[in-house]
Amino acid sequence: MTTKFTPDHEYIRVEGSTGIVGITPYAQNALGDIVFVELPSVGKVLKKGDEAAVVESVKAASEIYAPVAGTVSEINEALSGEPGLINTDPESGGWIYKITIADASELDGLLDDAAYAELTK
Amino acid sequence: MAQTSAETIKTTPLYEQHLAANGRMVPFGGYSLPVQYASGIMAEHKWTREHAGLFDVSHMGPGFLTLNNPGGDAEADHAAVAAIIEPLICGDITGLKPGNIRYTMLLNDQGGVIDDLMVGRSPLLGGALYIVVNAGTKDGDFAIIEAAAGDKARLMRADADNALLALQGPEAVQVLARIAPGAEDLSFMQYRAFDWNGERLIISRAGYTGEDGFEILVSAANAARLWDALLADDRVQPAGLGARDSLRLEAGLPLYGHDLDASVSPIEAGLGFAVSKRRREAADFPGASRILAEREGAPGRIRVGLMVEGAPAREGAEILDAAGSVIGVVTSGGFAPSLGKAIAMGFVPPSHAEIGTALQVSVRGRAQAATVVPTPFVPHRYFRKSKAS
């Protein structure tokens, strides 16, 4: 199981052909209290870089982009009632959506742990 | 938020205090100010509603307008200084009692709002007014007031050498009464000077949160000491611009440059209460013909509160009627921490402004349900001493 990162602070945790996408602890801290999450529809086909979801803090809305191309296979319905999960547990309970990865080679273009840590240090 | 280039950004006398409290500094109104501290907007907002939030509002424009040659009769001197500023605004300043403050608006000849501001009558001196204007408009406002003053009065800006603190929330009064005994005797929209360790504080019982609270003008040299002294009380937490905005939005209070601008009249903005009776009867303020006509008839648009279903509708979002036609625009909107819901203010035609009217707002291209509701969204809790006491 590997986790990759985008320069826009999304993570994608790869489990076989599925990627679990959310935002990093660094990103949730920067955004502040999340009060609303607009989730994609299951079955939505995304290109790398497409807007996949929107998270809203008290102050502002932020787009969440697709780290790789694929099809949305599952969404985290718990966020509709409890958007703050993104703040309290961004890497686990606060995941946003799962994507069936269309082309695994796109993962190679993303940041690994060390590169992301360097970006946010 | 207005952004300013890094070259011109100013700091307030409390800059080091903000850094020490892990303030997240952003440029606002030409100053570097904290949008939030470590605990975040939601926590700061709720703390202010339940206890006392401490805000640095030193970017605002406090000033004093003082007669050059007072005659010595307090009433006559007050009438003389009031006569300088009244032609610029729609409020009755002549009729203010000593130590009382009025919320009013600087108007252009078309009846549009140049700024909204506070004007107070000195509790002690005849012929002196305490004025507080908005940050983004202060240079222009002060130039207008100075031009009107001519050689009759002088305007002393108090923004550069002072800090302005706001202590807001239900516990603000107990906290401040320990530092400035007697502050608890002020009524909402009253001010006077207090002594604090030999330092003069100008304390007004006013604010921008809908809560009971105070604004405190203190010299730059003593600002950090006062800030620290207030924060030493467990009931006080620092609160940033983010909470200030969400609190004022819940309180239904307009923000200049967003809900008010040079095209909007006081009547359109739902601020007709600030067009004083004596001034209406005399029709002697800028744009009086438009404003009085709108007051008697119907303005083309009016500011309303909206309870929004789903995602927050932010400034610039279109307001639609039930059928989906665009009828207006959101001027302030966001999430209301006290309500756990999205709320907004915006302008719609009077035909769609009735409380309970079902409208829609367009968020990212999708129509969401919105209902016209009364403002304030969260009831004001100002402290007014009963007249009988």
Side-chain angles (χ1 to χ4, degrees):
Chain A
M1 187 178 86
T2 52
T3 302
K4 292 293 190 85
F5 302 88
T6 72
D8 296 317
H9 309 287
E10 292 99 4
Y11 67 78
I12 176 166
R13 193 163 66 243
V14 183
E15 295 180 350
S17 61
T18 297
I20 302 170
V21 181
I23 65 171
T24 65
Y26 176 91
Q28 70 77 21
N29 182 55
L31 292 174
D33 304 302
I34 305 299
V35 297
F36 187 87
V37 183
E38 192 167 297
L39 295 162
S41 324
V42 171
K44 185 171 185 180
V45 178
L46 297 167
K47 296 193 301 293
K48 178 181 163 77
D50 277 357
E51 183 183 311
V54 178
V55 298
E56 304 237 15
S57 68
V58 178
K59 263 216 101 46
S62 305
E63 289 86 20
I64 305 303
Y65 303 107
V68 296
T71 305
V72 175
S73 62
E74 197 179 334
I75 54 176
N76 187 358
E77 300 278 7
L79 295 178
S80 302
E82 205 180 339
L85 282 171
I86 290 180
N87 295 116
T88 55
D89 193 12
E91 295 172 300
S92 178
W95 65 278
I96 299 173
Y97 66 98
K98 296 183 183 178
I99 187 169
T100 303
I101 300 169
D103 177 3
S105 72
E106 280 186 348
L107 293 165
D108 299 337
L110 301 177
L111 306 173
D112 62 15
D113 274 330
Y116 184 69
E118 181 70 22
L119 180 75
T120 54
K121 82 174 181 190
Chain B
M1 277 195 209
Q3 303 264 315
T4 310
S5 66
E7 292 82 18
T8 61
I9 198 85
K10 292 189 277 248
T11 57
T12 74
L14 298 165
Y15 184 70
E16 294 298 329
Q17 269 57 34
H18 301 318
L19 296 186
N22 292 311
R24 192 173 291 168
M25 307 306 284
V26 299
F28 183 76
Y31 292 80
S32 178
L33 286 165
V35 66
Q36 64 166 81
Y37 299 89
S39 61
I41 295 172
M42 194 89 85
E44 292 164 22
H45 177 113
K46 290 181 173 171
W47 185 270
T48 303
R49 287 264 182 260
E50 291 165 16
H51 305 284
L54 182 61
F55 302 79
D56 179 8
V57 294
S58 303
H59 56 306
M60 304 285 290
F64 295 90
L65 183 67
T66 310
L67 278 190
N68 282 328
N69 298 300
D73 178 81
E75 289 303 320
D77 288 338
H78 174 67
V81 77
I84 293 170
I85 200 161
E86 278 198 352
L88 308 174
I89 63 178
C90 52
D92 177 3
I93 302 306
T94 307
L96 272 181
K97 292 188 172 67
N100 281 11
I101 301 167
R102 191 177 295 288
Y103 170 78
T104 186
M105 282 162 275
L106 274 173
L107 299 171
N108 61 32
D109 288 338
Q110 292 74 46
V113 180
I114 297 170
D115 198 11
D116 59 340
L117 69 160
M118 299 287 198
V119 177
R121 173 177 174 178
S122 171
L124 295 175
L125 302 173
L129 301 176
Y130 177 38
I131 298 171
V132 182
V133 302
N134 278 303
T137 45
K138 62 185 177 183
D139 291 342
D141 292 357
F142 285 146
I144 292 169
I145 295 168
E146 269 185 324
D151 58 4
K152 289 178 289 200
R154 63 192 179 282
L155 179 72
M156 285 173 296
R157 287 181 66 145
D159 54 337
D161 302 328
N162 293 278
L164 193 62
L165 281 59
L167 185 68
Q168 300 281 302
E171 293 177 354
V173 62
Q174 296 103 298
V175 172
L176 196 60
R178 285 168 52 167
I179 283 183
E184 70 277 13
D185 294 331
L186 292 170
S187 188
F188 178 59
M189 297 297 267
Q190 285 185 334
Y191 83 102
R192 69 177 178 89
F194 290 79
D195 177 80
W196 178 62
N197 299 331
E199 162 77 6
R200 196 171 75 127
L201 307 177
I202 305 283
I203 298 179
S204 56
R205 198 161 197 167
Y208 197 41
T209 61
E211 296 297 326
D212 183 22
F214 301 85
E215 292 186 346
I216 310 159
L217 187 71
V218 58
S219 73
N222 287 290
R225 209 157 55 88
L226 178 62
W227 177 271
D228 291 345
L230 290 167
L231 270 189
D233 193 305
D234 288 344
R235 293 170 286 196
V236 181
Q237 289 285 324
L241 294 170
R244 182 168 156 86
D245 191 51
S246 56
L247 287 159
R248 72 91 194 166
L249 180 61
E250 285 185 348
L253 300 172
L255 173 60
Y256 195 81
H258 301 261
D259 310 296
L260 296 175
D261 64 36
S263 77
V264 175
S265 78
I267 304 300
E268 290 177 328
L271 302 171
F273 69 89
V275 185
S276 299
K277 181 159 180 279
R278 196 194 100 237
R279 306 299 308 279
R280 291 199 309 265
E281 288 169 359
D284 62 350
F285 52 89
S289 59
R290 169 191 175 187
I291 288 169
L292 295 175
E294 285 180 351
R295 190 170 180 277
E296 295 309 315
R301 56 183 174 172
I302 191 150
R303 182 169 64 103
V304 294
L306 296 171
M307 196 68 78
V308 175
E309 298 301 323
R314 314 267 179 191
E315 181 177 4
E318 287 176 334
I319 302 172
L320 318 173
D321 64 14
S325 301
V326 176
I327 56 162
V329 65
V330 168
T331 50
S332 282
F335 184 78
S338 305
L339 304 172
K341 289 201 61 160
I343 58 173
M345 298 192 292
F347 286 82
V348 299
S351 55
H352 293 77
E354 282 290 311
I355 302 301
T357 305
L359 300 175
Q360 305 180 83
V361 287
S362 178
V363 178
R364 293 183 283 276
R366 274 202 304 274
Q368 296 175 194
T371 308
V372 177
V373 296
T375 57
F377 298 94
V378 172
H380 294 164
R381 297 196 289 181
Y382 303 136
F383 174 78
R384 289 184 173 93
K385 286 204 297 195
S386 75
K387 292 226 165 70
S389 71

